[in-house]
Amino acid sequence: MLGRMALPCALAAVLLVAAGCASRSPTNAPVEDRGTGASRTVPSAVDPGNVKQLPGFENAGKPGYYTVKPGDTMIRIGLENGQNWRDIVRWNNLENPNIIEVGQVLRVVPPVESAAVVTRPVAAGSAAASSTPPAQASSAAKPASAPASAAASPTPAPAPAASGDEDIAWIWPAQGSMVAGFDEAKNKGLDIAGKAGDAVIASADGRVVYAGAGLRGYGNLIILKHNNTFLTAYAHNQTLLVKEDQSVKKGQKIAEMGNSDADRVKLHFEIRRQGKPVDPAKYLPAK
């Protein structure tokens, strides 16, 4: 009799212990998502309201905007879009240009109001002197966490090249022989051989928008902006002889040839038309 009573009691005790252990488990049960037709498990603790929306997400895919990709830097973004990287920083109110996130969307063409705003002198004490300052000035004072406000203004698609922009009499940036030609997939410019210290010259009048070694694969690099359509890049230099924001003249020595971030001494030369690499041989005079 006692044996028959002990068995149910023991079974009940085991069930109670198991239930108690299950109630103390810290692991959330997976939730099956049936919305896609294929079963997958997602943590039930995920709160969709906490998913981070990156700056400018509402402008993704629109003309005049660029979505940051892995490995991007502001210098590369400027080169790829035919802009001075410092202008892109300003248009997007970025406090620290070294901090950008994959998926972040940046304006890469000037805001409409930057071309439309005209500054006029105002007499001291006039009513106009106390009016709201121009949008361009006020947007610069906004915190970097609100780039969407800069994006609220209409954004034009990249403008077609102005007729005068194409009228550049290019010259070769170095005297050596060409050792590698343009290949859109493998080589975005021309490679010109030479000796360490050979002169690298500006291929046309322009302004230095970058001088440094911050773009992987280019070594010591100079980027010149010639107008709203064309940039040129001069890579792998030994010594840089110009500084950012400096104006240069066609034929001016801007660097000395070297092998920084390269397997041999050479100049890698690119022409970018509205940010896109084009074959320099089609623009340079025949040798």
Side-chain angles (χ1 to χ4, degrees), residues 31-230:
V31 177
E32 187 177 35
D33 180 7
R34 302 178 185 272
T36 60
S39 295
R40 63 187 181 91
T41 58
V42 296
S44 60
V46 172
D47 180 4
N50 289 333
V51 176
K52 181 180 180 181
Q53 291 181 328
L54 294 173
F57 72 94
E58 71 279 6
N59 295 313
K62 293 181 182 178
Y65 290 91
Y66 176 86
T67 301
V68 177
K69 302 189 298 291
D72 273 345
T73 64
M74 291 306 303
I75 302 161
R76 183 176 293 279
I77 293 170
L79 180 63
E80 296 290 340
N81 290 278
Q83 302 289 0
N84 185 334
W85 68 273
R86 294 182 184 276
D87 287 339
I88 298 176
V89 169
R90 179 167 52 84
W91 297 335
N92 291 277
N93 298 322
L94 301 180
E95 284 187 348
N96 187 345
N98 295 316
I99 301 177
I100 53 175
E101 299 183 72
V102 173
Q104 183 174 349
V105 179
L106 300 172
R107 177 192 289 275
V108 291
V109 297
V112 172
E113 67 268 21
S114 67
V117 171
V118 177
T119 303
R120 295 183 176 87
V122 179
S126 68
S130 61
S131 62
T132 304
Q136 183 69 14
S138 63
S139 65
K142 292 180 181 178
S145 59
S149 62
S153 59
T155 303
S163 58
D165 284 1
E166 302 285 350
D167 300 332
I168 297 178
W170 303 95
I171 61 173
W172 284 82
Q175 293 298 317
S177 59
M178 189 172 70
V179 292
F182 177 82
D183 182 325
E184 191 168 356
K186 298 178 181 178
N187 192 30
K188 299 182 185 300
L190 303 178
D191 292 349
I192 302 171
K195 302 186 302 295
D198 281 356
V200 174
I201 62 175
S203 194
D205 293 352
R207 182 174 294 276
V208 181
V209 295
Y210 180 72
L215 194 56
R216 182 180 298 176
Y218 284 81
N220 294 323
L221 171 69
I222 291 172
I223 302 174
L224 302 182
K225 184 165 186 174
H226 303 283
N227 51 39
N228 289 332
T229 301
F230 287 103

